[in-house]
Amino acid sequence: MILILFGPPGAGKGTQADLLKEKHNLLHLSTGDILREEVSNNTQLGIEAKKFMDSGELVTDDLIIGMIKNKIESTTNVNGFLFDGFPRTISQAEALDLMLIESNKEIDKVISLEVDDNVLTKRLLSRGRSDDNEITIKNRLDVYKNQTLPIKDFYKNSNKLLEIKGDSSIEEVSSEIEKLL
Ligand code: AMP
């Protein structure tokens, strides 16, 4: 099974990912989490990525695609993958399709969590991560609209998109996801 959790920063992707990966025995691949680990380990990748992350810009497609490819190729013994925060650009979405074709797999569903901007900003400000300050948040929401939102049509056309309201409780969102899967 291959699922993508899609939605703006603060939509609850990480929270829902934790529930989904347990239920379906999926490997959770959060590009944000992987990048933050690279940054804290001071790796070459982390050093390159940090400047983009600090300003709320996207890390370059080449870095992200290489990173995901490594993870997919080095993983065995899972039922599938749960992508969270990836893909974020049309190029990443196309690269993912190619990677999956090479290993005879395909995306099952793209779960899009829909939450209003004012709710997102409130949630992000209360989270307190270093890139969760007012200026960076605004930029991340703009980057999301300009570079990431167009992917929705990409998946809508292939009938894989599940649109779910993400502003109710964790349990309600989770049961809505399970109902539609
Ligand atoms: P997130 O935790 O998903 O909000 O990601 C935090 C930051 O990591 C983002 O603001 C980007 O700078 C970077 N990032 C995470 N995932 C991606 C991706 N798929 N493509 C490009 N940059 C990413």
Side-chain angles (χ1 to χ4, degrees), residues 10-12 16 112-120 123 164-170 172-173:
Q16 294 302 327
S112 173
L113 299 177
E114 318 273 327
V115 182
D116 284 346
D117 274 9
N118 53 342
V119 177
L120 294 172
R123 281 189 189 172
I164 293 181
K165 273 184 70 66
D167 51 10
S168 44
S169 73
I170 293 171
E172 280 168 322
V173 174

Side-chain angles (χ1 to χ4, degrees), residues 36-127:
R36 278 183 289 279
E37 197 178 318
E38 298 281 343
V39 171
S40 73
N41 291 334
N42 224 7
T43 63
Q44 193 54 42
L45 173 60
I47 293 165
E48 294 248 341
K50 190 176 184 318
K51 51 181 188 281
F52 298 105
M53 297 169 77
D54 284 346
S55 60
E57 293 295 320
L58 294 183
V59 174
T60 54
D61 285 335
D62 284 355
L63 285 184
I64 299 287
I65 291 163
M67 196 173 90
I68 288 286
K69 212 174 164 99
N70 278 339
K71 293 277 176 194
I72 293 182
E73 285 171 359
S74 63
T75 303
T76 49
N77 280 334
V78 289
N79 249 347
F81 296 99
L82 172 59
F83 295 103
D84 159 7
F86 171 86
R88 276 273 231 287
T89 62
I90 296 274
S91 301
Q92 291 180 18
E94 288 170 347
L96 176 62
D97 275 354
L98 279 182
M99 277 184 247
L100 294 176
I101 287 171
E102 276 166 18
S103 46
N104 266 326
K105 297 188 178 82
E106 68 170 313
I107 296 163
D108 292 288
K109 291 291 173 204
V110 177
I111 302 162
S112 173
L113 299 177
E114 318 273 327
V115 182
D116 284 346
D117 274 9
N118 53 342
V119 177
L120 294 172
T121 307
K122 258 189 225 146
R123 281 189 189 172
L124 291 168
L125 282 173
S126 70
R127 195 165 71 172

